[in-house]
Amino acid sequence: MPTALITGITGQDGSYLTELLISKGYTVHGIVRRSSITARGRLDQLFHQEDVYNKRLFLHYADLSDVTTIRRILLKSTPDELYHLAGQSHVGASFEIPETTCEFTAMGTLRLLEILRDLDKQPRFVHISSSEIFGRPDQSPQNETTPMRPVTPYGVAKAFATQMVTLYRESFGLFACNAICYNHESPRRGESFVTRKITRAAAAISMGLEKTLSLGSLDGRRDWGYAPEYVEAMWRMLQQPAADDFVVATGTAHSVKDFLAASFDAVGLDWEDFVTQDPRYMRPSEGTHLVGDPGRASKSLQWTAETRLPRLAEIMVQSDLDALLASRQRADS
Ligand code: G4F
């Protein structure tokens, strides 16, 4: 059975992708950053399966700047497929830490490509790129040929990485693809991203645990899909006869206000009674009109985003309600 290596295995996408690949019979190796806090909760259910952990799922410590260790992991695990998900992924934070963002997101990708170039057995490679590469585009929806005009440090770093992947495919013949992913959410989304911040707050407010929700700009529009479906597209990209780039999106944009309405509706509340705005969460500049054209993915990968608003918000709110209820029951017992 095939072997895969995943950078960023402990994140939202990494955990869903690992479950998908394990269910398909893969052996999965994951790269984890060493830190004093163990943040692997999203993989917990796999660690408890005796026939999986340390039998078909292996974790290795490395940092994207640690070229020697990454090369060693690649030489030892000899993967057929390499999924590159790791990086500093918070757009707002990239204004505070632009150097770290470029170090991991841009240079980390180039370092991986350089290692791959020297390998005798080169795995098929997919880089998880982002709609942020388009920034303020001239055309909507965007497709694989839309010019990149990033307006955030994160977007600039991703544009560099994306173009390097294309360059290594065209110049060195690597099977290297970009999955140009638009926003994709789930109950496993980090709590600092707007969707999860909203669904967690809607659940907490409805249970009387919190009173208000403080956000930044409510005018932004995003193309929000469901993360488990997006990792399926990543896998399909590596099963194609030739490497290519694909926009992975729903094709529909909604505003932050739409996401608020769907989430608070799910608990029978009106968001306007609870939401305040705080300049701390405003960004110096923002991408606009970010909506993807998934036509190529639909045609070549037979992939379509099924879960959209309001269902996406309902799934996330329900999961947050369940988690808060469980935590209250633990505290009471
Ligand atoms: O949830 P967000 O932080 O997502 P953003 O910036 O679109 O980036 C996400 O999606 C990209 C595309 O797939 C990824 F590349 C990237 O790694 C990340 O996963 O913000 C969404 C919108 C923005 O317009 C933001 O200004 O929500 C607005 N917003 C309003 N208040 C807020 C807040 N965003 C955050 N994180 N926190 C707020 O309080």
Side-chain angles (χ1 to χ4, degrees):
M1 292 307 286
T3 297
L5 176 63
I6 303 176
T7 74
I9 192 169
T10 56
Q12 168 188 258
D13 294 0
S15 64
Y16 285 122
L17 180 62
T18 304
E19 286 169 3
L20 177 77
L21 297 178
I22 291 285
S23 76
K24 289 183 182 296
Y26 280 61
T27 295
V28 177
H29 293 261
I31 296 184
V32 182
R33 279 185 88 185
R34 179 83 185 92
S35 112
S36 55
I37 301 165
T38 315
R40 300 178 191 171
R42 295 180 177 106
L43 294 171
D44 257 358
Q45 68 291 354
L46 292 171
F47 292 153
H48 294 126
Q49 290 178 29
E50 280 185 8
D51 57 330
V52 172
Y53 188 50
N54 275 337
K55 298 207 173 60
R56 289 171 51 218
L57 170 61
F58 303 91
L59 298 185
H60 309 267
Y61 284 127
D63 200 287
L64 281 181
S65 58
D66 190 347
V67 174
T68 310
T69 311
I70 292 190
R71 184 182 291 111
R72 189 180 303 128
I73 294 168
L74 270 157
L75 288 171
K76 264 179 85 174
S77 59
T78 58
D80 303 288
E81 296 170 9
L82 171 50
Y83 296 84
H84 177 37
L85 277 53
Q88 193 299 101
S89 65
H90 201 284
V91 177
S94 77
F95 286 96
E96 306 300 322
I97 48 168
E99 290 182 42
T100 309
T101 303
C102 289
E103 187 54 37
F104 287 109
T105 302
M107 288 306 294
T109 305
L110 175 57
R111 288 191 192 101
L112 270 180
L113 290 165
E114 274 291 277
I115 298 172
L116 295 187
R117 190 179 153 192
D118 291 337
L119 290 182
D120 290 333
K121 181 194 166 193
Q122 294 173 339
R124 292 183 166 207
F125 175 80
V126 59
H127 162 240
I128 310 314
S129 179
S130 163
S131 53
E132 282 290 309
I133 62 175
F134 298 123
R136 295 203 188 106
D138 286 333
Q139 69 183 71
S140 260
Q142 299 83 48
N143 62 30
E144 295 78 5
T145 61
T146 302
M148 300 181 197
R149 294 177 58 192
V151 294
T152 62
Y154 173 84
V156 171
K158 275 290 179 196
F160 172 93
T162 304
Q163 287 176 312
M164 278 296 177
V165 169
T166 308
L167 181 84
Y168 274 62
R169 177 172 73 230
E170 291 174 356
S171 305
F172 302 119
L174 291 188
F175 191 110
C177 317
N178 288 298
I180 306 169
C181 290
Y182 284 63
N183 299 49
H184 45 290
E185 318 296 316
S186 77
R188 297 186 194 170
R189 188 60 143 149
E191 290 180 12
S192 64
F193 293 93
V194 79
T195 53
R196 185 72 200 292
K197 196 170 161 182
I198 291 171
T199 61
R200 210 205 62 80
I205 290 170
S206 76
M207 290 172 67
L209 299 171
E210 287 171 20
K211 290 193 164 38
T212 57
L213 166 63
S214 186
L215 293 176
S217 166
L218 306 184
D219 300 324
R221 293 178 73 79
R222 291 290 183 274
D223 179 332
W224 279 298
Y226 187 41
E229 295 169 3
Y230 284 47
V231 301
E232 170 79 28
M234 297 169 198
W235 175 75
R236 290 189 187 198
M237 286 173 65
L238 293 192
Q239 315 312 310
Q240 297 306 297
D244 206 348
D245 299 334
F246 291 90
V247 161
V248 185
T250 69
T252 308
H254 288 281
S255 66
V256 174
K257 287 180 187 170
D258 293 337
F259 204 95
L260 278 164
S263 305
F264 279 77
D265 274 358
V267 288
L269 297 173
D270 181 347
W271 68 269
E272 294 193 68
D273 295 336
F274 304 98
V275 174
T276 58
Q277 282 186 279
D278 186 329
R280 273 188 307 153
Y281 301 118
M282 306 279 185
R283 297 173 184 178
S285 78
E286 276 262 22
T288 52
H289 306 296
L290 294 178
V291 56
D293 170 1
R296 183 184 287 178
S298 163
K299 190 160 175 261
S300 303
L301 308 179
Q302 283 81 51
W303 179 90
T304 312
E306 303 286 345
T307 309
R308 296 149 185 253
L309 276 182
R311 180 74 194 124
L312 174 61
E314 287 161 8
I315 292 171
M316 293 173 68
V317 170
Q318 189 56 54
S319 166
D320 279 316
L321 283 170
D322 293 344
L324 289 173
L325 205 60
S327 133
R328 185 150 80 183
Q329 280 164 353
R330 274 196 303 275
D332 289 347
S333 64

